Amino acid sequence: METWDAVRARRNVRQYADEPIARADLERILDAGRRAPSAGNWQPWDFVVVTDRARLVELSKVWARGGRHIAHSAATIAMVAAEPEDARRRELLYYDFGQATANMMLTATDLGIGSGHSSVGDQEQAQRLLGFPDGYLCLFLIGLGYPADRPLRPLVKPDRRPFDEVVHWDRW
Ligand SMILES: Cc1cc2nc3c(=O)[nH]c(=O)nc-3n(C[C@H](O)[C@H](O)[C@H](O)COP(=O)(O)O)c2cc1C
């Protein structure tokens, strides 16, 4: 897929076909995250990949409000970071994780694989399941799987504010 097509085709996919994702495709998605830019190139991320169904079901419970799709994903990437030292580092951390997320989601789209964010509420449950060390946080989950609803195609009318309302040329 062309990059421009992948940008327009990505959407949150929360219903997944019962089809595994090939290891090479998962590795490409993870590598896209690893290659993302970060402040001072500090690369604050660790990724824990979960594919076991029973563990995915348990993982989905860390965010009861919006994490149900994780239970049905073919694989989920848990994005883990050391707790930031201060507010400035926290801001940078979230910016950098956003960039890694976008890289991974676009790469998944390019492969025809759907992706869907989930926040993380219960850090204790996340740590118990994922086994990351004390002093670390699981910031987000990205559920992955082939879409069960419809294939990923460029969206003609995305649910977005109009271009001319968002974009200011030269000056607001
Ligand atoms: C920081 C962030 C957190 C999000 N958390 C959740 C979540 O917990 N559960 C969920 O279903 N979607 C979550 N989303 C997905 C957004 O709701 C979604 O991206 C937005 O509605 C736009 O839809 P689209 O991604 O299909 O274009 C999150 C997105 C972002 C950027």
Side-chain angles (χ1 to χ4, degrees), residues 36-169:
S38 60
N41 200 24
W42 67 324
Q43 305 168 63
W45 36 65
D46 281 87
F47 305 135
V48 184
V49 190
V50 181
T51 56
D52 175 74
R53 180 64 53 211
R55 298 176 69 77
L56 287 166
V57 169
E58 287 307 304
L59 192 58
S60 73
K61 296 175 186 167
V62 302
W63 186 239
R65 263 168 53 193
R68 282 183 299 278
H69 57 290
I70 297 302
H72 312 291
S73 63
T76 284
I77 300 171
M79 305 179 76
V80 176
E83 280 184 40
E85 297 154 18
D86 52 34
R88 173 69 181 147
R89 282 271 145 191
R90 174 171 290 269
E91 281 174 13
L92 294 173
L93 189 69
Y94 278 91
Y95 193 99
D96 293 345
F97 270 65
Q99 302 217 81
T101 300
N103 262 18
M104 291 198 278
M105 288 187 155
L106 286 175
T107 301
T109 306
D110 178 51
L111 295 165
I113 295 167
S115 56
H117 312 78
S118 171
S119 296
V120 178
D122 188 340
Q123 287 293 333
E124 281 179 21
Q125 165 87 337
Q127 186 182 27
R128 196 174 57 73
L129 281 166
L130 300 169
F132 53 81
D134 290 342
Y136 281 69
L137 292 170
C138 181
L139 272 75
F140 281 100
L141 305 174
I142 304 176
L144 298 168
Y146 290 95
D149 44 7
R150 59 191 192 283
L152 294 163
R153 298 257 187 275
L155 300 174
V156 179
K157 283 192 176 177
D159 178 16
R160 292 297 189 263
R161 291 167 56 207
F163 183 91
D164 289 333
E165 181 186 305
V166 173
V167 179
H168 310 267
W169 300 96

